[in-house]
Amino acid sequence: WLAGQLLWTWRDTVESLPAATVTVADIGFLAALPLAFAGYFVLGFARGGPRDGWAHRLTEIAVIATSLLFVVWETTITRITADHALDGLERTVLLAYPIGDLAVVTMALVAVLNRRSRAMELAAVAAIAMAVGNSVYSYHQTESSFRTGSLSDLLWLAGLTLFVLAGLRPDVGDATADH
């Protein structure tokens, strides 16, 4: 993700280029999604507890993902697929964000349900902020109205701040269990 952000910032501030629908920065941003998914998956499934059965967790995934899919479908996916001004690569990249975000937020919420901790809750809210920021960005891209400093930037900043706070403030139980 950092590589994508550095490339995006360079394009935006140093080269003063307008926001393109697809850039090299997307490689870094999109590569972060499966890594985030894997991290939440490990945290959500690794520890036992009162609800440590796989069937229970798979049911949680199905309920959460289905609920989120309806929201993402109505707010983002239909808008992107209906935009005939986008070429195939642009449409694919813009669709990769909400689909990847759906998977990441689903796993983040499952992790919160199965491993209650303040740090995990902050990290899940961070994932949600990043996903909503990506959806707002996609909306602005389909409308050709994205500008630096928009709501999506604020949501991305909030998400990154929450990720940092989650990492700086792990729960005591988490720290002792890991050692």
Side-chain angles (χ1 to χ4, degrees):
W1 193 91
L2 179 60
Q5 187 59 46
L6 291 172
L7 288 167
W8 179 270
T9 302
W10 181 268
R11 268 181 76 23
D12 187 47
T13 58
V14 176
E15 296 179 353
S16 298
L17 295 172
T21 304
V22 177
T23 69
V24 175
D26 288 308
I27 296 169
F29 294 140
L30 291 172
L33 292 173
L35 296 174
F37 177 88
Y40 285 118
F41 179 85
V42 168
L43 292 172
F45 280 74
R47 297 190 183 230
R51 297 182 270 162
D52 60 354
W54 278 79
H56 181 82
R57 291 197 178 135
L58 291 175
T59 302
E60 290 173 342
I61 289 171
V63 169
I64 293 168
T66 303
S67 301
L68 291 174
L69 179 61
F70 284 118
V71 173
V72 170
W73 187 270
E74 285 300 316
T75 61
T76 309
I77 293 176
T78 55
R79 177 174 289 280
I80 294 168
T81 56
D83 188 347
H84 299 293
L86 297 171
D87 67 28
L89 179 62
E90 291 171 331
R91 182 173 286 111
T92 300
V93 169
L94 286 178
L95 285 172
Y97 284 103
I99 293 167
D101 288 335
L102 173 78
V104 169
V105 170
T106 297
M107 289 313 303
L109 293 174
V110 168
V112 166
L113 289 172
N114 291 292
R115 183 177 175 179
R116 298 277 182 186
S117 77
R118 182 69 57 211
M120 184 58 63
E121 291 165 357
L122 286 171
V125 173
I128 293 167
M130 298 291 282
V132 174
N134 287 341
S135 291
V136 170
Y137 174 78
S138 292
Y139 171 81
H140 284 297
Q141 283 294 63
T142 59
E143 295 293 313
S144 298
S145 63
F146 177 78
R147 302 290 177 264
T148 298
S150 69
L151 177 61
S152 58
D153 288 337
L154 178 63
L155 288 164
W156 291 328
L157 181 61
L160 291 173
T161 302
L162 290 167
F163 276 128
V164 169
L165 291 174
L168 291 176
R169 189 80 178 163
D171 292 338
V172 175
D174 290 344
T176 57
D178 290 340
H179 291 292

